[in-house]
Amino acid sequence: MSTTTSHTSEPDGPAGGPARPARLIQNEATTEIPVHLLFRDDPHPAPVPLRPAVVGRRQGTGEQPRLRRPAAPPRPVPQVDADLAERPARVLPGAAGVLAGACGLAGCVATSWWAGVLPPLALEALRLPARAGAGLGPLQWAAYAGAGALGLFGFGGLARGRTGRAWVLDLFGRYRGTVRRSGLLWVNPLLLRRRVDVRLRHWRSEPVPAADASGVALRVVVLVVWRVRDTARAMLGVEDHEAYLRACVEAALARVPVEMPGGAAGAGDAAAEALTRLVASDAAPVGLEVFSVQPLRVEYAPEVAAAMHRRRIAALDARHRASVLTSVVDSVEDTVTRLTMRGLVELDDYERKVLVKDLTVAFCAGRGETSP
């Protein structure tokens, strides 16, 4: 009787269970999920919050973790006092000031007549009867003070408003409003008046440092068209709004590359739009409205002007040589093609090369004599 012995491999799993297949990747990391989590009796399970997965490095594969670059924070915008905004000031027509001043002057004359100190010439001019007054007493001095104060307030508050000009009124360091009206007005003489020009204005800058896309130093003269939109913020938000506008233009030129004239098509318009957008956003919080920032003259900085001039001449010379060579090659090709197609000559490879060489030398010499 023969006995057959079967050789079986030892199972990887527990006794009596199925054998686990061998791993294809030896250093693969796996996670076992409990079976009771897959078959739950709860018909309405509570939602499980999911956190964003992080892809890490797997062992043995050499794969590096993928990191997300953090977004750049937005550029901070300058802010001023939120409560500081232009509002109309309370003023009266100029007739009110004239009337108050006339009343004060008339009160002073009446008080003088009452006290009997009015000169005879004034009595004759005003056709007032002579009167023996009681002299200057406390009542007369009080009447003089009241009438004089009324006259000073009436005539001292008269002002002439002009179109395109405004006054920013300030009382003991507190903003009291803006006057944009024109004509004869009466403004409280206790208020401090600051005149500001609200017309459309343009400013032609001095040569400002800048750079092109390659980092070459430039000097740029720009024309800025602007006006004061909010007089309160322009006069009280900054020390000098014109100096602030100049600083905004210099900062924008330091961030926006400017191309020399004759560069890429549309580069000048793109630079002007970018400059206008940056300067307008920086000047808006202080009450300035910028309409356009246009580069007028662009030139190289003195320290690099000579080197860039030689570079431009060399580039123009290389471009001219390339155009001449292209023209010569086209002429030689056209000549050889015509000669062979019309059957005027029969050339082998060597003779063709010699002919091409001779024609190239001849055409180049002719181009060199005719070129300036």
Side-chain angles (χ1 to χ4, degrees):
M1 178 181 296
S2 64
T3 304
T4 305
T5 305
S6 61
H7 299 277
T8 59
S9 60
E10 183 181 358
D12 294 336
R20 178 180 299 177
R23 295 179 180 177
L24 298 179
I25 303 177
Q26 295 299 328
N27 52 3
E28 178 186 4
T30 59
T31 303
E32 296 182 357
I33 302 176
V35 178
H36 69 277
L37 294 180
L38 299 179
F39 303 94
R40 300 185 62 177
D41 297 335
D42 189 0
H44 302 287
V48 180
L50 299 179
R51 294 181 298 177
V54 179
V55 179
R57 178 178 178 180
R58 292 188 299 178
Q59 299 179 357
T61 60
E63 181 181 354
Q64 298 295 331
R66 295 190 295 270
L67 301 178
R68 294 182 179 179
R69 180 178 298 177
R75 189 170 59 90
V77 179
Q79 298 291 338
V80 296
D81 189 1
D83 298 333
L84 186 61
E86 180 180 335
R87 62 178 182 270
R90 296 179 180 178
V91 296
L92 298 177
V98 174
L99 180 60
C103 291
L105 183 60
C108 291
V109 173
T111 303
S112 299
W113 179 77
W114 176 31
V117 296
L118 198 64
L121 294 178
L123 291 174
E124 294 178 1
L126 297 174
R127 297 179 181 180
L128 296 175
R131 182 179 185 275
L136 296 176
L139 295 178
Q140 286 78 12
W141 284 115
Y144 269 128
L150 182 59
L152 289 177
F153 262 79
F155 290 123
L158 292 177
R160 184 180 62 174
R162 297 181 180 180
T163 303
R165 303 292 179 90
W167 284 310
V168 177
L169 305 183
D170 182 8
L171 178 62
F172 304 120
R174 183 179 180 184
Y175 174 64
R176 304 300 296 177
T178 300
V179 180
R180 286 181 177 261
R181 297 168 56 182
S182 59
L184 186 62
L185 306 171
W186 183 85
V187 184
N188 188 351
L190 296 179
L191 298 176
L192 177 62
R193 309 174 192 175
R194 300 183 182 183
R195 185 180 294 273
V196 56
D197 192 346
V198 294
R199 296 173 296 181
L200 187 66
R201 305 167 63 183
H202 70 278
W203 169 59
R204 183 188 179 99
S205 71
E206 298 295 331
V208 182
D212 60 3
S214 302
V216 180
L218 302 175
R219 292 292 184 271
V220 183
V221 176
V222 297
L223 179 66
V224 184
V225 180
W226 65 286
R227 71 177 179 183
V228 176
R229 180 176 52 85
D230 193 317
T231 56
R233 293 190 175 186
M235 298 300 294
L236 305 177
V238 290
E239 183 176 0
D240 187 353
H241 60 276
E242 295 183 1
Y244 182 83
L245 180 62
R246 290 194 293 269
C248 290
V249 171
E250 294 178 0
L253 285 173
R255 288 178 287 176
V256 176
V258 181
E259 296 295 335
M260 289 289 294
D269 296 338
E273 292 179 2
L275 289 173
T276 303
R277 184 173 59 256
L278 288 177
V279 176
S281 63
D282 290 341
V286 296
L288 303 182
E289 186 175 7
V290 179
F291 295 95
S292 67
V293 181
Q294 185 68 36
L296 295 182
R297 188 175 73 247
V298 182
E299 57 187 12
Y300 289 110
E303 59 270 15
V304 298
M308 297 308 299
H309 181 66
R310 292 193 298 268
R311 179 180 176 182
R312 289 176 65 88
I313 292 179
L316 292 176
D317 187 36
R319 191 181 307 172
H320 175 69
R321 290 176 180 274
S323 63
V324 169
L325 181 59
T326 302
S327 178
V328 168
V329 171
D330 293 341
S331 301
V332 171
E333 181 181 5
D334 184 62
T335 302
V336 174
T337 303
R338 289 185 177 184
L339 289 175
T340 54
M341 291 184 63
R342 295 182 180 181
L344 298 178
V345 293
E346 294 182 358
L347 304 174
D348 55 8
D349 293 340
Y350 178 76
E351 293 175 344
R352 182 185 296 273
K353 292 180 181 179
V354 173
L355 178 60
V356 168
K357 179 181 178 180
D358 295 341
L359 289 175
T360 303
V361 173
F363 285 156
C364 287
R367 297 276 181 172
E369 293 177 357
T370 58
S371 62

